[in-house]
Amino acid sequence: MSKILEIIPSRHVDQRGFFAETYNRKKYLEYGIDIKFVQDNHSVSNQIGTLRGLHCQFPPCPQAKLVRCCRGAIFDVAVDIRKGSPTFGQWKGYELTAKKGNQVYVPIGFVHGFITLQANSEIIYKCSDYYAPKTERSVLWKDPDIGIEWPFVSDPILNKKDAEAPLLKDFESPFIYGINS
């Protein structure tokens, strides 16, 4: 599957709280997600307005991701960077919240990032390949050609790498629509 997909797992709620199945390979195959996930990551952002992204990994270690917010809330974004794609440079964004329990599937060939909407937000995401720092790349979160409509961002909390990432027009994507993504 090479499109962004929002998934809302069923929750079974009673007086104790809730139970949710957050990943079931058979169900995800029905959605068209035939990915072998090999690594889970857990991220905590202490302050509202913490922005992480936009990141991807190049071949030979590209990553598809299945992202969910297990505490707090985030605005999650993916941008198509596949050369020749009819949606190249376009973005999709979803508010992921612990309360709703929704997830976003981000396929290979997209950069991904998020900003926290609540303090102490926790994000857990599955990855289809292992973290490989030498293959990691970034695109600037505020690239005017992409035009992501980040909620209430005037001065986000960033690390140096994300603050200095290149614009998409200066980014040489190895991903080609219909071939390797």
Side-chain angles (χ1 to χ4, degrees), residues 1 5-10 20-37 65-68 101-106 126:
M1 163 159 297
L5 183 63
E6 181 183 26
I7 301 163
I8 304 173
S10 297
E21 193 174 78
T22 60
Y23 180 75
N24 176 313
R25 181 159 171 73
K26 287 181 189 177
K27 278 186 185 171
Y28 284 68
L29 284 170
E30 292 173 12
Y31 296 131
I33 301 172
D34 187 11
I35 297 290
K36 178 182 174 186
F37 292 109
K65 297 175 182 174
L66 182 62
V67 183
R68 68 187 174 96
N102 55 332
Q103 305 172 340
V104 170
Y105 172 71
V106 180
K126 296 184 148 327

PDB file of all heavy atoms in Angstrom, residues 1 5-10 20-37 65-68 101-106 126:
ATOM      1  N   MET A   1       0.857  -1.178   0.000  1.00  0.00           N
ATOM      2  CA  MET A   1       0.000   0.000   0.000  1.00  0.00           C
ATOM      3  C   MET A   1       0.896   1.232   0.000  1.00  0.00           C
ATOM      4  O   MET A   1       1.823   1.321   0.785  1.00  0.00           O
ATOM      5  CB  MET A   1      -0.903  -0.018   1.223  1.00  0.00           C
ATOM      6  CG  MET A   1      -1.495   1.344   1.504  1.00  0.00           C
ATOM      7  SD  MET A   1      -2.960   1.380   2.499  1.00  0.00           S
ATOM      8  CE  MET A   1      -4.102   0.494   1.525  1.00  0.00           C
ATOM      9  N   LEU A   5      -3.059   6.303   5.426  1.00  0.00           N
ATOM     10  CA  LEU A   5      -4.332   5.748   5.833  1.00  0.00           C
ATOM     11  C   LEU A   5      -4.542   5.974   7.324  1.00  0.00           C
ATOM     12  O   LEU A   5      -3.661   5.673   8.132  1.00  0.00           O
ATOM     13  CB  LEU A   5      -4.339   4.244   5.540  1.00  0.00           C
ATOM     14  CG  LEU A   5      -5.601   3.457   5.814  1.00  0.00           C
ATOM     15  CD1 LEU A   5      -6.749   3.935   4.939  1.00  0.00           C
ATOM     16  CD2 LEU A   5      -5.337   1.979   5.568  1.00  0.00           C
ATOM     17  N   GLU A   6      -5.701   6.523   7.682  1.00  0.00           N
ATOM     18  CA  GLU A   6      -6.064   6.641   9.098  1.00  0.00           C
ATOM     19  C   GLU A   6      -6.859   5.406   9.487  1.00  0.00           C
ATOM     20  O   GLU A   6      -7.765   4.985   8.774  1.00  0.00           O
ATOM     21  CB  GLU A   6      -6.902   7.887   9.374  1.00  0.00           C
ATOM     22  CG  GLU A   6      -7.260   8.023  10.841  1.00  0.00           C
ATOM     23  CD  GLU A   6      -8.152   9.211  11.155  1.00  0.00           C
ATOM     24  OE1 GLU A   6      -8.896   9.662  10.251  1.00  0.00           O
ATOM     25  OE2 GLU A   6      -8.118   9.667  12.302  1.00  0.00           O
ATOM     26  N   ILE A   7      -6.505   4.826  10.642  1.00  0.00           N
ATOM     27  CA  ILE A   7      -7.154   3.620  11.147  1.00  0.00           C
ATOM     28  C   ILE A   7      -7.661   3.915  12.560  1.00  0.00           C
ATOM     29  O   ILE A   7      -6.936   4.498  13.362  1.00  0.00           O
ATOM     30  CB  ILE A   7      -6.156   2.445  11.172  1.00  0.00           C
ATOM     31  CG1 ILE A   7      -5.626   2.188   9.756  1.00  0.00           C
ATOM     32  CG2 ILE A   7      -6.795   1.195  11.768  1.00  0.00           C
ATOM     33  CD1 ILE A   7      -4.376   1.369   9.702  1.00  0.00           C
ATOM     34  N   ILE A   8      -8.884   3.491  12.839  1.00  0.00           N
ATOM     35  CA  ILE A   8      -9.451   3.680  14.176  1.00  0.00           C
ATOM     36  C   ILE A   8      -9.798   2.300  14.732  1.00  0.00           C
ATOM     37  O   ILE A   8     -10.843   1.737  14.398  1.00  0.00           O
ATOM     38  CB  ILE A   8     -10.680   4.602  14.141  1.00  0.00           C
ATOM     39  CG1 ILE A   8     -10.319   5.949  13.501  1.00  0.00           C
ATOM     40  CG2 ILE A   8     -11.229   4.806  15.555  1.00  0.00           C
ATOM     41  CD1 ILE A   8     -11.482   6.872  13.265  1.00  0.00           C
ATOM     42  N   PRO A   9      -8.906   1.732  15.560  1.00  0.00           N
ATOM     43  CA  PRO A   9      -9.182   0.418  16.145  1.00  0.00           C
ATOM     44  C   PRO A   9     -10.404   0.450  17.062  1.00  0.00           C
ATOM     45  O   PRO A   9     -10.699   1.472  17.686  1.00  0.00           O
ATOM     46  CB  PRO A   9      -7.924   0.108  16.963  1.00  0.00           C
ATOM     47  CG  PRO A   9      -6.847   0.973  16.377  1.00  0.00           C
ATOM     48  CD  PRO A   9      -7.575   2.221  15.923  1.00  0.00           C
ATOM     49  N   SER A  10     -11.097  -0.679  17.143  1.00  0.00           N
ATOM     50  CA  SER A  10     -12.244  -0.799  18.046  1.00  0.00           C
ATOM     51  C   SER A  10     -11.767  -0.772  19.491  1.00  0.00           C
ATOM     52  O   SER A  10     -10.704  -1.296  19.814  1.00  0.00           O
ATOM     53  CB  SER A  10     -12.968  -2.126  17.806  1.00  0.00           C
ATOM     54  OG  SER A  10     -13.491  -2.164  16.515  1.00  0.00           O
ATOM     55  N   ALA A  20      -8.097  -2.274  23.653  1.00  0.00           N
ATOM     56  CA  ALA A  20      -8.051  -2.096  22.201  1.00  0.00           C
ATOM     57  C   ALA A  20      -6.939  -2.950  21.622  1.00  0.00           C
ATOM     58  O   ALA A  20      -5.857  -3.055  22.192  1.00  0.00           O
ATOM     59  CB  ALA A  20      -7.809  -0.637  21.844  1.00  0.00           C
ATOM     60  N   GLU A  21      -7.234  -3.549  20.504  1.00  0.00           N
ATOM     61  CA  GLU A  21      -6.224  -4.287  19.745  1.00  0.00           C
ATOM     62  C   GLU A  21      -5.594  -3.277  18.789  1.00  0.00           C
ATOM     63  O   GLU A  21      -6.241  -2.834  17.843  1.00  0.00           O
ATOM     64  CB  GLU A  21      -6.930  -5.402  18.981  1.00  0.00           C
ATOM     65  CG  GLU A  21      -6.031  -6.430  18.387  1.00  0.00           C
ATOM     66  CD  GLU A  21      -6.860  -7.568  17.790  1.00  0.00           C
ATOM     67  OE1 GLU A  21      -7.401  -7.373  16.667  1.00  0.00           O
ATOM     68  OE2 GLU A  21      -6.979  -8.622  18.453  1.00  0.00           O
ATOM     69  N   THR A  22      -4.350  -2.891  19.040  1.00  0.00           N
ATOM     70  CA  THR A  22      -3.737  -1.824  18.255  1.00  0.00           C
ATOM     71  C   THR A  22      -3.026  -2.327  16.999  1.00  0.00           C
ATOM     72  O   THR A  22      -2.676  -1.524  16.139  1.00  0.00           O
ATOM     73  CB  THR A  22      -2.755  -1.008  19.111  1.00  0.00           C
ATOM     74  OG1 THR A  22      -1.719  -1.869  19.597  1.00  0.00           O
ATOM     75  CG2 THR A  22      -3.475  -0.337  20.267  1.00  0.00           C
ATOM     76  N   TYR A  23      -2.810  -3.622  16.910  1.00  0.00           N
ATOM     77  CA  TYR A  23      -2.250  -4.189  15.685  1.00  0.00           C
ATOM     78  C   TYR A  23      -2.645  -5.649  15.595  1.00  0.00           C
ATOM     79  O   TYR A  23      -2.487  -6.411  16.554  1.00  0.00           O
ATOM     80  CB  TYR A  23      -0.726  -4.054  15.629  1.00  0.00           C
ATOM     81  CG  TYR A  23      -0.155  -4.648  14.363  1.00  0.00           C
ATOM     82  CD1 TYR A  23      -0.278  -3.983  13.157  1.00  0.00           C
ATOM     83  CD2 TYR A  23       0.449  -5.892  14.354  1.00  0.00           C
ATOM     84  CE1 TYR A  23       0.203  -4.534  11.973  1.00  0.00           C
ATOM     85  CE2 TYR A  23       0.945  -6.458  13.189  1.00  0.00           C
ATOM     86  CZ  TYR A  23       0.815  -5.780  12.000  1.00  0.00           C
ATOM     87  OH  TYR A  23       1.276  -6.319  10.830  1.00  0.00           O
ATOM     88  N   ASN A  24      -3.166  -6.024  14.426  1.00  0.00           N
ATOM     89  CA  ASN A  24      -3.519  -7.396  14.124  1.00  0.00           C
ATOM     90  C   ASN A  24      -3.197  -7.588  12.650  1.00  0.00           C
ATOM     91  O   ASN A  24      -3.839  -6.968  11.791  1.00  0.00           O
ATOM     92  CB  ASN A  24      -4.998  -7.627  14.415  1.00  0.00           C
ATOM     93  CG  ASN A  24      -5.467  -9.002  14.030  1.00  0.00           C
ATOM     94  OD1 ASN A  24      -5.186  -9.505  12.941  1.00  0.00           O
ATOM     95  ND2 ASN A  24      -6.212  -9.636  14.931  1.00  0.00           N
ATOM     96  N   ARG A  25      -2.196  -8.389  12.351  1.00  0.00           N
ATOM     97  CA  ARG A  25      -1.725  -8.542  10.970  1.00  0.00           C
ATOM     98  C   ARG A  25      -2.871  -8.887  10.005  1.00  0.00           C
ATOM     99  O   ARG A  25      -2.952  -8.327   8.914  1.00  0.00           O
ATOM    100  CB  ARG A  25      -0.623  -9.588  10.887  1.00  0.00           C
ATOM    101  CG  ARG A  25      -0.092  -9.756   9.484  1.00  0.00           C
ATOM    102  CD  ARG A  25       1.280 -10.370   9.442  1.00  0.00           C
ATOM    103  NE  ARG A  25       1.683 -10.723   8.096  1.00  0.00           N
ATOM    104  CZ  ARG A  25       2.040  -9.851   7.158  1.00  0.00           C
ATOM    105  NH1 ARG A  25       2.048  -8.569   7.413  1.00  0.00           N
ATOM    106  NH2 ARG A  25       2.399 -10.267   5.968  1.00  0.00           N
ATOM    107  N   LYS A  26      -3.768  -9.799  10.391  1.00  0.00           N
ATOM    108  CA  LYS A  26      -4.872 -10.185   9.501  1.00  0.00           C
ATOM    109  C   LYS A  26      -5.750  -8.987   9.160  1.00  0.00           C
ATOM    110  O   LYS A  26      -6.118  -8.791   8.001  1.00  0.00           O
ATOM    111  CB  LYS A  26      -5.723 -11.275  10.152  1.00  0.00           C
ATOM    112  CG  LYS A  26      -5.056 -12.624  10.191  1.00  0.00           C
ATOM    113  CD  LYS A  26      -5.996 -13.631  10.834  1.00  0.00           C
ATOM    114  CE  LYS A  26      -5.300 -14.950  11.097  1.00  0.00           C
ATOM    115  NZ  LYS A  26      -6.178 -15.898  11.779  1.00  0.00           N
ATOM    116  N   LYS A  27      -6.101  -8.170  10.178  1.00  0.00           N
ATOM    117  CA  LYS A  27      -6.937  -6.995   9.925  1.00  0.00           C
ATOM    118  C   LYS A  27      -6.221  -5.981   9.039  1.00  0.00           C
ATOM    119  O   LYS A  27      -6.824  -5.377   8.158  1.00  0.00           O
ATOM    120  CB  LYS A  27      -7.334  -6.319  11.236  1.00  0.00           C
ATOM    121  CG  LYS A  27      -8.491  -6.956  11.927  1.00  0.00           C
ATOM    122  CD  LYS A  27      -8.909  -6.133  13.119  1.00  0.00           C
ATOM    123  CE  LYS A  27      -9.990  -6.826  13.893  1.00  0.00           C
ATOM    124  NZ  LYS A  27     -10.281  -6.168  15.152  1.00  0.00           N
ATOM    125  N   TYR A  28      -4.935  -5.786   9.289  1.00  0.00           N
ATOM    126  CA  TYR A  28      -4.199  -4.789   8.521  1.00  0.00           C
ATOM    127  C   TYR A  28      -3.996  -5.242   7.081  1.00  0.00           C
ATOM    128  O   TYR A  28      -3.954  -4.410   6.172  1.00  0.00           O
ATOM    129  CB  TYR A  28      -2.904  -4.413   9.237  1.00  0.00           C
ATOM    130  CG  TYR A  28      -3.200  -3.488  10.404  1.00  0.00           C
ATOM    131  CD1 TYR A  28      -3.892  -3.931  11.521  1.00  0.00           C
ATOM    132  CD2 TYR A  28      -2.870  -2.151  10.351  1.00  0.00           C
ATOM    133  CE1 TYR A  28      -4.217  -3.086  12.562  1.00  0.00           C
ATOM    134  CE2 TYR A  28      -3.184  -1.284  11.385  1.00  0.00           C
ATOM    135  CZ  TYR A  28      -3.866  -1.770  12.489  1.00  0.00           C
ATOM    136  OH  TYR A  28      -4.205  -0.911  13.505  1.00  0.00           O
ATOM    137  N   LEU A  29      -3.937  -6.536   6.844  1.00  0.00           N
ATOM    138  CA  LEU A  29      -3.910  -7.040   5.467  1.00  0.00           C
ATOM    139  C   LEU A  29      -5.202  -6.673   4.740  1.00  0.00           C
ATOM    140  O   LEU A  29      -5.182  -6.352   3.553  1.00  0.00           O
ATOM    141  CB  LEU A  29      -3.686  -8.553   5.443  1.00  0.00           C
ATOM    142  CG  LEU A  29      -2.264  -9.017   5.721  1.00  0.00           C
ATOM    143  CD1 LEU A  29      -2.229 -10.534   5.915  1.00  0.00           C
ATOM    144  CD2 LEU A  29      -1.308  -8.596   4.623  1.00  0.00           C
ATOM    145  N   GLU A  30      -6.335  -6.680   5.464  1.00  0.00           N
ATOM    146  CA  GLU A  30      -7.611  -6.268   4.867  1.00  0.00           C
ATOM    147  C   GLU A  30      -7.584  -4.792   4.453  1.00  0.00           C
ATOM    148  O   GLU A  30      -8.260  -4.406   3.504  1.00  0.00           O
ATOM    149  CB  GLU A  30      -8.760  -6.511   5.847  1.00  0.00           C
ATOM    150  CG  GLU A  30      -9.042  -7.972   6.101  1.00  0.00           C
ATOM    151  CD  GLU A  30     -10.068  -8.205   7.201  1.00  0.00           C
ATOM    152  OE1 GLU A  30     -10.741  -7.233   7.631  1.00  0.00           O
ATOM    153  OE2 GLU A  30     -10.190  -9.361   7.640  1.00  0.00           O
ATOM    154  N   TYR A  31      -6.814  -3.976   5.163  1.00  0.00           N
ATOM    155  CA  TYR A  31      -6.653  -2.559   4.802  1.00  0.00           C
ATOM    156  C   TYR A  31      -5.666  -2.382   3.650  1.00  0.00           C
ATOM    157  O   TYR A  31      -5.482  -1.276   3.155  1.00  0.00           O
ATOM    158  CB  TYR A  31      -6.129  -1.735   5.984  1.00  0.00           C
ATOM    159  CG  TYR A  31      -7.024  -1.652   7.188  1.00  0.00           C
ATOM    160  CD1 TYR A  31      -6.517  -1.911   8.451  1.00  0.00           C
ATOM    161  CD2 TYR A  31      -8.365  -1.297   7.084  1.00  0.00           C
ATOM    162  CE1 TYR A  31      -7.317  -1.824   9.584  1.00  0.00           C
ATOM    163  CE2 TYR A  31      -9.172  -1.214   8.209  1.00  0.00           C
ATOM    164  CZ  TYR A  31      -8.647  -1.476   9.454  1.00  0.00           C
ATOM    165  OH  TYR A  31      -9.439  -1.389  10.557  1.00  0.00           O
ATOM    166  N   GLY A  32      -4.979  -3.472   3.259  1.00  0.00           N
ATOM    167  CA  GLY A  32      -3.973  -3.390   2.205  1.00  0.00           C
ATOM    168  C   GLY A  32      -2.571  -3.139   2.732  1.00  0.00           C
ATOM    169  O   GLY A  32      -1.657  -2.858   1.969  1.00  0.00           O
ATOM    170  N   ILE A  33      -2.384  -3.251   4.036  1.00  0.00           N
ATOM    171  CA  ILE A  33      -1.074  -3.019   4.648  1.00  0.00           C
ATOM    172  C   ILE A  33      -0.401  -4.365   4.846  1.00  0.00           C
ATOM    173  O   ILE A  33      -0.680  -5.095   5.799  1.00  0.00           O
ATOM    174  CB  ILE A  33      -1.203  -2.258   5.985  1.00  0.00           C
ATOM    175  CG1 ILE A  33      -1.885  -0.907   5.759  1.00  0.00           C
ATOM    176  CG2 ILE A  33       0.164  -2.085   6.638  1.00  0.00           C
ATOM    177  CD1 ILE A  33      -2.233  -0.170   7.040  1.00  0.00           C
ATOM    178  N   ASP A  34       0.469  -4.712   3.901  1.00  0.00           N
ATOM    179  CA  ASP A  34       1.199  -5.983   3.944  1.00  0.00           C
ATOM    180  C   ASP A  34       2.663  -5.675   4.264  1.00  0.00           C
ATOM    181  O   ASP A  34       3.539  -5.773   3.413  1.00  0.00           O
ATOM    182  CB  ASP A  34       1.074  -6.721   2.618  1.00  0.00           C
ATOM    183  CG  ASP A  34       1.679  -8.114   2.669  1.00  0.00           C
ATOM    184  OD1 ASP A  34       2.010  -8.589   3.781  1.00  0.00           O
ATOM    185  OD2 ASP A  34       1.826  -8.725   1.599  1.00  0.00           O
ATOM    186  N   ILE A  35       2.892  -5.247   5.482  1.00  0.00           N
ATOM    187  CA  ILE A  35       4.215  -4.802   5.924  1.00  0.00           C
ATOM    188  C   ILE A  35       4.644  -5.653   7.098  1.00  0.00           C
ATOM    189  O   ILE A  35       3.850  -5.918   8.004  1.00  0.00           O
ATOM    190  CB  ILE A  35       4.174  -3.310   6.366  1.00  0.00           C
ATOM    191  CG1 ILE A  35       3.801  -2.404   5.205  1.00  0.00           C
ATOM    192  CG2 ILE A  35       5.475  -2.878   7.007  1.00  0.00           C
ATOM    193  CD1 ILE A  35       4.826  -2.265   4.128  1.00  0.00           C
ATOM    194  N   LYS A  36       5.896  -6.041   7.106  1.00  0.00           N
ATOM    195  CA  LYS A  36       6.464  -6.718   8.269  1.00  0.00           C
ATOM    196  C   LYS A  36       7.125  -5.651   9.135  1.00  0.00           C
ATOM    197  O   LYS A  36       8.129  -5.060   8.739  1.00  0.00           O
ATOM    198  CB  LYS A  36       7.492  -7.758   7.836  1.00  0.00           C
ATOM    199  CG  LYS A  36       8.152  -8.471   8.987  1.00  0.00           C
ATOM    200  CD  LYS A  36       9.198  -9.445   8.491  1.00  0.00           C
ATOM    201  CE  LYS A  36       9.942 -10.033   9.662  1.00  0.00           C
ATOM    202  NZ  LYS A  36      11.055 -10.874   9.203  1.00  0.00           N
ATOM    203  N   PHE A  37       6.535  -5.373  10.283  1.00  0.00           N
ATOM    204  CA  PHE A  37       7.119  -4.401  11.193  1.00  0.00           C
ATOM    205  C   PHE A  37       8.203  -5.080  12.022  1.00  0.00           C
ATOM    206  O   PHE A  37       8.010  -6.200  12.507  1.00  0.00           O
ATOM    207  CB  PHE A  37       6.043  -3.791  12.092  1.00  0.00           C
ATOM    208  CG  PHE A  37       5.072  -2.924  11.343  1.00  0.00           C
ATOM    209  CD1 PHE A  37       3.767  -3.324  11.145  1.00  0.00           C
ATOM    210  CD2 PHE A  37       5.472  -1.697  10.828  1.00  0.00           C
ATOM    211  CE1 PHE A  37       2.872  -2.525  10.447  1.00  0.00           C
ATOM    212  CE2 PHE A  37       4.586  -0.883  10.131  1.00  0.00           C
ATOM    213  CZ  PHE A  37       3.289  -1.309   9.942  1.00  0.00           C
ATOM    214  N   LYS A  65       5.643   3.389   8.528  1.00  0.00           N
ATOM    215  CA  LYS A  65       5.366   3.561   9.964  1.00  0.00           C
ATOM    216  C   LYS A  65       3.877   3.446  10.233  1.00  0.00           C
ATOM    217  O   LYS A  65       3.055   3.844   9.416  1.00  0.00           O
ATOM    218  CB  LYS A  65       5.844   4.941  10.429  1.00  0.00           C
ATOM    219  CG  LYS A  65       7.339   5.145  10.312  1.00  0.00           C
ATOM    220  CD  LYS A  65       7.735   6.570  10.671  1.00  0.00           C
ATOM    221  CE  LYS A  65       9.229   6.767  10.487  1.00  0.00           C
ATOM    222  NZ  LYS A  65       9.609   8.169  10.699  1.00  0.00           N
ATOM    223  N   LEU A  66       3.570   2.913  11.410  1.00  0.00           N
ATOM    224  CA  LEU A  66       2.210   2.886  11.926  1.00  0.00           C
ATOM    225  C   LEU A  66       2.263   3.645  13.247  1.00  0.00           C
ATOM    226  O   LEU A  66       2.857   3.178  14.216  1.00  0.00           O
ATOM    227  CB  LEU A  66       1.721   1.452  12.135  1.00  0.00           C
ATOM    228  CG  LEU A  66       0.295   1.299  12.631  1.00  0.00           C
ATOM    229  CD1 LEU A  66      -0.711   1.881  11.624  1.00  0.00           C
ATOM    230  CD2 LEU A  66      -0.016  -0.169  12.903  1.00  0.00           C
ATOM    231  N   VAL A  67       1.667   4.850  13.266  1.00  0.00           N
ATOM    232  CA  VAL A  67       1.857   5.811  14.351  1.00  0.00           C
ATOM    233  C   VAL A  67       0.578   5.956  15.173  1.00  0.00           C
ATOM    234  O   VAL A  67      -0.512   6.071  14.600  1.00  0.00           O
ATOM    235  CB  VAL A  67       2.230   7.205  13.774  1.00  0.00           C
ATOM    236  CG1 VAL A  67       2.514   8.201  14.888  1.00  0.00           C
ATOM    237  CG2 VAL A  67       3.401   7.104  12.811  1.00  0.00           C
ATOM    238  N   ARG A  68       0.727   5.988  16.513  1.00  0.00           N
ATOM    239  CA  ARG A  68      -0.410   6.269  17.382  1.00  0.00           C
ATOM    240  C   ARG A  68       0.056   7.065  18.593  1.00  0.00           C
ATOM    241  O   ARG A  68       1.214   7.016  18.974  1.00  0.00           O
ATOM    242  CB  ARG A  68      -1.127   5.001  17.820  1.00  0.00           C
ATOM    243  CG  ARG A  68      -0.348   4.105  18.732  1.00  0.00           C
ATOM    244  CD  ARG A  68      -1.107   2.790  18.967  1.00  0.00           C
ATOM    245  NE  ARG A  68      -0.310   1.866  19.721  1.00  0.00           N
ATOM    246  CZ  ARG A  68      -0.383   1.705  21.033  1.00  0.00           C
ATOM    247  NH1 ARG A  68      -1.253   2.414  21.746  1.00  0.00           N
ATOM    248  NH2 ARG A  68       0.388   0.837  21.651  1.00  0.00           N
ATOM    249  N   GLY A 101      -7.755   7.125  20.052  1.00  0.00           N
ATOM    250  CA  GLY A 101      -7.058   5.872  19.760  1.00  0.00           C
ATOM    251  C   GLY A 101      -6.780   5.636  18.291  1.00  0.00           C
ATOM    252  O   GLY A 101      -6.434   4.525  17.895  1.00  0.00           O
ATOM    253  N   ASN A 102      -6.902   6.669  17.468  1.00  0.00           N
ATOM    254  CA  ASN A 102      -6.668   6.496  16.032  1.00  0.00           C
ATOM    255  C   ASN A 102      -5.178   6.383  15.719  1.00  0.00           C
ATOM    256  O   ASN A 102      -4.322   6.752  16.518  1.00  0.00           O
ATOM    257  CB  ASN A 102      -7.320   7.620  15.231  1.00  0.00           C
ATOM    258  CG  ASN A 102      -6.898   9.007  15.670  1.00  0.00           C
ATOM    259  OD1 ASN A 102      -6.535   9.251  16.825  1.00  0.00           O
ATOM    260  ND2 ASN A 102      -6.943   9.947  14.747  1.00  0.00           N
ATOM    261  N   GLN A 103      -4.899   5.831  14.552  1.00  0.00           N
ATOM    262  CA  GLN A 103      -3.530   5.609  14.085  1.00  0.00           C
ATOM    263  C   GLN A 103      -3.400   6.121  12.664  1.00  0.00           C
ATOM    264  O   GLN A 103      -4.395   6.255  11.949  1.00  0.00           O
ATOM    265  CB  GLN A 103      -3.199   4.117  14.071  1.00  0.00           C
ATOM    266  CG  GLN A 103      -3.412   3.417  15.370  1.00  0.00           C
ATOM    267  CD  GLN A 103      -3.241   1.901  15.235  1.00  0.00           C
ATOM    268  OE1 GLN A 103      -3.318   1.335  14.153  1.00  0.00           O
ATOM    269  NE2 GLN A 103      -3.004   1.244  16.353  1.00  0.00           N
ATOM    270  N   VAL A 104      -2.160   6.360  12.246  1.00  0.00           N
ATOM    271  CA  VAL A 104      -1.890   6.716  10.849  1.00  0.00           C
ATOM    272  C   VAL A 104      -0.817   5.772  10.312  1.00  0.00           C
ATOM    273  O   VAL A 104       0.213   5.565  10.945  1.00  0.00           O
ATOM    274  CB  VAL A 104      -1.437   8.186  10.699  1.00  0.00           C
ATOM    275  CG1 VAL A 104      -0.930   8.465   9.291  1.00  0.00           C
ATOM    276  CG2 VAL A 104      -2.570   9.129  11.027  1.00  0.00           C
ATOM    277  N   TYR A 105      -1.110   5.220   9.140  1.00  0.00           N
ATOM    278  CA  TYR A 105      -0.126   4.426   8.410  1.00  0.00           C
ATOM    279  C   TYR A 105       0.578   5.350   7.425  1.00  0.00           C
ATOM    280  O   TYR A 105      -0.069   6.009   6.609  1.00  0.00           O
ATOM    281  CB  TYR A 105      -0.804   3.272   7.663  1.00  0.00           C
ATOM    282  CG  TYR A 105       0.148   2.556   6.736  1.00  0.00           C
ATOM    283  CD1 TYR A 105       1.164   1.761   7.253  1.00  0.00           C
ATOM    284  CD2 TYR A 105       0.052   2.699   5.364  1.00  0.00           C
ATOM    285  CE1 TYR A 105       2.054   1.121   6.410  1.00  0.00           C
ATOM    286  CE2 TYR A 105       0.926   2.062   4.515  1.00  0.00           C
ATOM    287  CZ  TYR A 105       1.934   1.270   5.045  1.00  0.00           C
ATOM    288  OH  TYR A 105       2.820   0.649   4.216  1.00  0.00           O
ATOM    289  N   VAL A 106       1.913   5.432   7.541  1.00  0.00           N
ATOM    290  CA  VAL A 106       2.737   6.260   6.658  1.00  0.00           C
ATOM    291  C   VAL A 106       3.601   5.321   5.819  1.00  0.00           C
ATOM    292  O   VAL A 106       4.498   4.658   6.357  1.00  0.00           O
ATOM    293  CB  VAL A 106       3.632   7.229   7.463  1.00  0.00           C
ATOM    294  CG1 VAL A 106       4.480   8.077   6.520  1.00  0.00           C
ATOM    295  CG2 VAL A 106       2.797   8.103   8.388  1.00  0.00           C
ATOM    296  N   LYS A 126       5.305   1.766  14.995  1.00  0.00           N
ATOM    297  CA  LYS A 126       5.940   0.586  14.440  1.00  0.00           C
ATOM    298  C   LYS A 126       6.671   1.009  13.168  1.00  0.00           C
ATOM    299  O   LYS A 126       6.183   1.854  12.425  1.00  0.00           O
ATOM    300  CB  LYS A 126       4.897  -0.476  14.080  1.00  0.00           C
ATOM    301  CG  LYS A 126       4.131  -1.014  15.265  1.00  0.00           C
ATOM    302  CD  LYS A 126       3.196  -2.112  14.829  1.00  0.00           C
ATOM    303  CE  LYS A 126       2.981  -3.160  15.862  1.00  0.00           C
ATOM    304  NZ  LYS A 126       4.027  -3.499  16.752  1.00  0.00           N
TER     305      LYS A 126
END
